[in-house]
């Protein structure tokens, strides 16, 4: 069975990549057309475009992207960067031509309709693995859920290891026909070895690595209000994209608009749920 590590760019998946070697490593990038979010370091931008030619910017912090490059050197093996054909902007504004997708429909992702995760992370990862790794048997994929995240492990079902992909198209109706395939088997080595967040954090402090205060996609609707307020201070350029998307669509990413959240004098005043799309 071939083995693959899913890299998010956060502390846990990086720890997992170093301590639990696999045959392949994959990092899915959430793309945006928002020019102010383009990495300011020309060297970093050059590296991003060498891996994803249509890269303009991403919703990962620059430090996350740098750490993935650094991690590749640390493990001594290529980390394959993958991305969707379309940016998240295009998915939100309905500017896609994907068969079976809401082409022309304007909508925001949220905790119930997480097409940002599906379209920008899971599908690109699936297609890369299916075309380059899959040999007819499911791959064993390491996923960075820790011992102190039992709900994430318990919530994993076999449906998450299956994928409906277009196998043919009826020309007259332009309808896709889909095939269901079990392409991976989720594996959780950090959970199995009882590795906790404190252990992971101590490891990176001892190594002298720095990570973003709030990992993974900036201003994600799964982040707590206090985290979104802090990100507004750290990432004002990227903040504008999220505010613009809510304004253009007339909708909200979460229960409350991001503008309302960052305008609050008191921090962490709204209900929230933990993030389930990062490590």
């Amino acid at each position: 069975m071939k083995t693959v590590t899913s890299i998010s760019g956060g502390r846990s998946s990086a720890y997992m990549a170093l301590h639990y070697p696999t045959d392949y490593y994959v990092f899915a990038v959430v793309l945006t057309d928002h020019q102010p979010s383009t990495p300011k370091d020309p060297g970093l931008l050059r590296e991003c475009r060498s891996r994803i030619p249509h890269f303009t910017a991403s919703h990962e912090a620059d430090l996350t992207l740098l750490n993935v490059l650094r991690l590749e050197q640390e493990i001594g093996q290529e980390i394959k960067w993958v991305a969707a054909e379309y940016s998240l902007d295009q998915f939100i504004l309905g500017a896609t031509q994907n068969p079976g997708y809401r082409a022309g429909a304007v909508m925001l992702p949220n905790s119930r309709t997480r097409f940002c995760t599906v379209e920008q992370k899971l599908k690109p990862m699936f297609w890369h693995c299916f075309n380059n790794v899959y040999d007819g048997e499911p791959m064993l994929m390491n996923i960075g859920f820790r011992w102190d995240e039992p709900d994430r492990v318990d919530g994993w079902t076999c449906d998450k290891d299956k994928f409906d992909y277009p196998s043919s198209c009826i020309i007259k109706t332009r309808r896709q026909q889909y095939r269901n395939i079990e392409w991976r088997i989720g594996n959780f080595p950090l959970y199995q070895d009882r590795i906790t967040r404190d252990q992971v954090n101590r490891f990176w402090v001892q190594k002298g690595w720095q990570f973003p205060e709030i990992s993974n996609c900036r201003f994600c609707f799964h982040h707590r209000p206090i985290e979104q307020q802090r990100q507004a201070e750290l990432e004002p350029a990227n903040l504008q994209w999220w505010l613009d998307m809510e304004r253009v669509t007339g909708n909200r990413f979460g229960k409350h608009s991001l503008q309302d959240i960052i305008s609050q004098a008191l921090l962490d005043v709204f209900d929230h749920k933990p993030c389930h799309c990062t490590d």
Side-chain angles (χ1 to χ4, degrees):
M1 180 181 291
K2 294 182 179 180
T3 57
V4 183
T5 294
S6 173
I7 301 289
S8 74
R11 295 173 179 82
S12 296
S13 71
Y15 179 99
M16 181 176 64
L18 280 176
H19 290 83
Y20 303 89
T22 53
D23 301 321
Y24 304 92
Y25 300 83
V26 182
F27 170 54
V29 183
V30 179
L31 298 179
T32 175
D33 300 321
H34 189 235
Q35 293 281 353
S37 296
T38 300
K40 303 302 182 288
D41 184 332
L44 174 59
L45 180 59
R46 183 175 61 251
E47 290 294 331
C48 292
R49 287 179 173 167
S50 72
R51 289 159 172 78
I52 303 174
H54 61 295
F55 180 96
T56 296
S58 83
H59 285 301
E60 285 84 14
D62 290 4
L63 184 55
T64 295
L65 302 175
L66 284 167
N67 281 338
V68 175
L69 295 173
R70 187 179 183 184
L71 181 63
E72 183 177 70
Q73 299 300 312
E74 193 83 5
I75 63 179
Q77 192 170 340
E78 180 186 16
I79 296 175
K80 182 64 178 180
W81 292 38
V82 298
E85 177 184 1
Y86 298 100
S87 67
L88 183 56
D89 314 44
Q90 291 171 301
F91 279 112
I92 288 174
L93 299 176
T96 72
Q97 298 299 321
N98 286 18
Y101 190 75
R102 292 172 174 261
V106 176
M107 62 181 296
L108 291 180
N110 52 53
S111 59
R112 297 184 63 183
T113 309
R114 289 169 44 200
F115 62 82
C116 49
T117 300
V118 174
E119 299 293 340
Q120 295 276 298
K121 288 179 173 288
L122 296 181
K123 285 188 178 180
M125 191 178 298
F126 164 80
W127 282 115
H128 170 74
C129 290
F130 182 75
N131 291 325
N132 299 279
V133 182
Y134 183 74
D135 60 1
E137 296 295 331
M139 299 158 284
L140 189 70
M141 179 172 284
N142 281 357
I143 298 168
F145 296 170
R146 303 182 306 268
W147 175 248
D148 48 359
E149 298 177 302
D151 290 346
R152 302 180 75 182
V153 177
D154 293 341
W156 194 271
T157 68
C158 60
D159 288 339
K160 295 183 181 293
D161 297 323
K162 297 177 182 178
F163 195 87
D164 287 328
Y165 73 96
S167 57
S168 61
C169 180
I170 302 174
I171 297 177
K172 289 185 178 180
T173 62
R174 299 184 64 185
R175 287 189 175 183
Q176 292 281 0
Q177 294 181 319
Y178 291 85
R179 176 186 171 194
N180 184 265
I181 184 174
E182 184 181 15
W183 65 291
R184 68 178 180 181
I185 297 174
N187 187 47
F188 314 103
L190 302 184
Y191 180 79
Q192 294 159 6
D193 287 350
R194 302 193 174 196
I195 303 299
T196 66
R197 179 179 182 178
D198 287 344
Q199 290 172 270
V200 170
N201 287 344
R202 283 198 301 270
F203 173 80
W204 292 118
V205 168
Q206 291 169 1
K207 284 187 70 67
W209 281 42
Q210 292 185 337
F211 289 82
E213 282 188 34
I214 304 154
S215 293
N216 309 107
C217 290
R218 296 174 281 196
F219 299 100
C220 175
F221 42 81
H222 281 303
H223 289 163
R224 295 178 298 158
I226 191 173
E227 293 174 322
Q228 292 176 327
Q229 289 184 333
R230 177 57 177 157
Q231 284 177 313
E233 298 175 2
L234 299 172
E235 304 280 358
N238 190 254
L239 167 66
Q240 192 59 49
W241 180 90
W242 295 81
L243 296 175
D244 288 345
M245 288 298 107
E246 289 193 331
R247 176 180 55 79
V248 169
T249 62
N251 212 328
R252 301 186 299 267
F253 286 100
K255 182 178 179 181
H256 301 271
S257 72
L258 186 57
Q259 183 64 61
D260 288 344
I261 290 174
I262 64 174
S263 300
Q264 290 297 312
L266 296 176
L267 298 177
D268 208 14
V269 294
F270 301 122
D271 294 333
H272 65 273
K273 296 181 181 179
C275 177
H276 290 282
C277 54
T278 69
D279 70 347

